[in-house]
Amino acid sequence: MDTNSSADKPENAEDKIDTLAETTTGNEAKKMAFFPVPSTQNNSFVSSGGHSSENESDNASEHSSDPTSEGSSPRNTTRIPKKNRRLLLAVVSIILLGFMLASPSPFAIEMPGPTANVMGDVSTDSDTKMIDISGIKTYKDKGEMRLVTVSATGVPGYSVPTAMAIYAWFNPQMAVLPQEAVYSVDTTADQYEEEGNNEMSQAQNSAIKVGLSFAHDKLNIDTSKAKVDISVDDIGGPSAGMMYTLGIVSKLTPVDEAGGKIIAGTGTIESDGSVGRIGGIQLKMIGAQRDGAQYFIAPQGNCDEVVGHVPQGLQVFAVDNIDEAYETLVSIGKGETSALRGCSVESNATKTGKE
């Protein structure tokens, strides 16, 4: 009798295969308990029993922090050399400074303008007389009687760059003024020009009236048939009134009032013959001296600005009205100036308030 029962033996080949698979599976499970499997949460290796492998965890950390390891991109950082940074800063600073210097400034600049002989032509390339008198006999003078002007920029239509304002600030022959001190900030270029032209036209009309009246009343000249036209190029404002008046009177007399000398002057002329205060007299004296004048007739109302600012080689005499202005003109022509009144702060007792 066979001692092995049928239950202890496999009945066929398929049973043998199943038995082998079960045995193998059991052995592999035992082996996996001692081999680590990767954790997807913290990159450490954990055994199937839940314990991490310290050595392999450290290796994993070193591997993940290495920027040259496979799968990671190295971080490239480029630093500008210190010398180049300084150069870049200098270039940017120069550009910003250039923009600042070229930008418009809130200032107006005044400087000595051209002078013109009221006894001569309007300009060197014109035959038009500055003062033309018809209907009555006229005379020529050997000397010159020059009106003076101030050139201005920074007025409406002509902005002043900041660089020019800075230059003018340090130039003794220029004046820097806030724009609102020269004109109303809402004034347009056309309005500014029109205002200057209107002031010039009024000055010419006053000069004609006062000049003819003075020649008739004080010099006994019949001016009833006289017709006077005054022409001028690119000059505005009222300050040439006194010189126009003296020019008219001088053309109506046989006397050589200027006596061959170059005499400049400025001042408004009022309908009553008074000579009024004007603006920019310091710059006008510079322009007069520049163009050869040795004598200057100024409103007494400007004496406070004259004192201490007379250019070398220029003599300044103060007047209040057309009578004094004409007497001063004749005395200068004769070379008799010792009795004429000069400017002093104390002599500035009256001002007309006109600029």
Side-chain angles (χ1 to χ4, degrees):
M1 183 174 178
D2 191 355
T3 57
N4 293 328
S5 65
S6 60
D8 295 332
K9 296 180 181 180
E11 295 179 358
N12 52 42
E14 290 180 357
D15 292 338
K16 290 181 180 180
I17 293 173
D18 291 340
T19 301
L20 178 62
E22 289 175 0
T23 305
T24 302
T25 301
N27 292 334
E28 291 296 329
K30 292 179 181 180
K31 291 179 180 179
M32 289 180 63
F34 296 97
F35 287 89
V37 294
S39 170
T40 59
Q41 294 183 357
N42 56 9
N43 293 330
S44 61
F45 290 88
V46 183
S47 68
S48 60
H51 296 286
S52 63
S53 175
E54 182 176 353
N55 292 335
E56 296 195 10
S57 176
D58 290 342
N59 292 336
S61 298
E62 291 176 1
H63 177 78
S64 63
S65 62
D66 185 0
T68 61
S69 62
E70 184 179 357
S72 64
S73 300
R75 182 176 179 181
N76 296 325
T77 302
T78 304
R79 294 179 60 85
I80 301 176
K82 189 173 183 180
K83 181 179 179 180
N84 291 351
R85 291 202 304 271
R86 290 178 178 175
L87 178 61
L88 179 61
L89 180 61
V91 171
V92 172
S93 299
I94 291 173
I95 293 174
L96 293 177
L97 180 61
F99 275 114
M100 183 190 73
L101 294 177
S103 63
S105 71
F107 298 103
I109 297 176
E110 293 182 344
M111 63 197 77
T115 68
N117 180 20
V118 298
M119 304 298 289
D121 297 334
V122 171
S123 62
T124 56
D125 57 353
S126 172
D127 294 332
T128 303
K129 300 295 182 183
M130 187 171 292
I131 299 177
D132 183 59
I133 303 176
S134 59
I136 190 175
K137 187 177 181 178
T138 59
Y139 304 86
K140 292 183 178 181
D141 269 29
K142 296 178 181 179
E144 297 182 10
M145 300 164 54
R146 306 191 75 87
L147 63 81
V148 291
T149 66
V150 167
S151 295
T153 186
V155 296
Y158 302 91
S159 62
V160 172
T162 301
M164 186 174 181
I166 294 173
Y167 169 78
W169 184 266
F170 294 99
N171 190 325
Q173 295 192 1
M174 293 182 177
V176 180
L177 304 169
Q179 289 177 336
E180 56 268 24
V182 179
Y183 62 90
S184 177
V185 292
D186 59 351
T187 302
T188 65
D190 291 339
Q191 290 173 335
Y192 181 81
E193 183 177 359
E194 182 180 2
E195 181 182 356
N197 291 337
N198 289 339
E199 291 175 337
M200 172 58 76
S201 179
Q202 293 172 6
Q204 293 172 346
N205 291 335
S206 294
I208 293 171
K209 177 183 177 181
V210 174
L212 293 178
S213 296
F214 182 86
H216 179 271
D217 299 340
K218 301 298 178 68
L219 304 177
N220 297 319
I221 299 172
D222 183 7
T223 59
S224 59
K225 296 182 180 181
K227 183 178 184 299
V228 182
D229 291 313
I230 301 178
S231 303
V232 67
D233 280 346
D234 300 325
I235 298 177
S239 64
M242 181 190 72
M243 295 305 292
Y244 284 143
T245 305
L246 291 176
I248 292 171
V249 174
S250 183
K251 283 194 171 231
L252 294 176
T253 68
V255 179
D256 183 12
E257 282 90 352
K261 299 178 175 62
I262 302 177
I263 304 169
T266 187
T268 66
I269 192 72
E270 305 301 324
S271 58
D272 62 356
S274 60
V275 174
R277 177 184 174 90
I278 52 83
I281 193 167
Q282 295 176 10
L283 300 175
K284 290 176 178 178
M285 290 189 296
I286 294 174
Q289 190 268 347
R290 176 200 63 202
D291 290 351
Q294 295 178 310
Y295 306 94
F296 194 94
I297 303 174
Q300 183 175 329
N302 282 108
C303 277
D304 58 337
E305 298 177 81
V306 170
V307 175
H309 298 281
V310 179
Q312 186 175 1
L314 189 68
Q315 297 183 57
V316 180
F317 305 104
V319 299
D320 271 323
N321 51 60
I322 192 60
D323 296 71
E324 292 181 0
Y326 184 73
E327 292 174 4
T328 299
L329 174 64
V330 173
S331 297
I332 292 173
K334 292 179 179 180
E336 301 172 354
T337 60
S338 59
L340 297 179
R341 178 175 57 184
C343 261
S344 65
V345 176
E346 291 77 13
S347 70
N348 190 24
T350 60
K351 294 182 181 179
T352 64
K354 299 291 183 180
E355 294 295 327

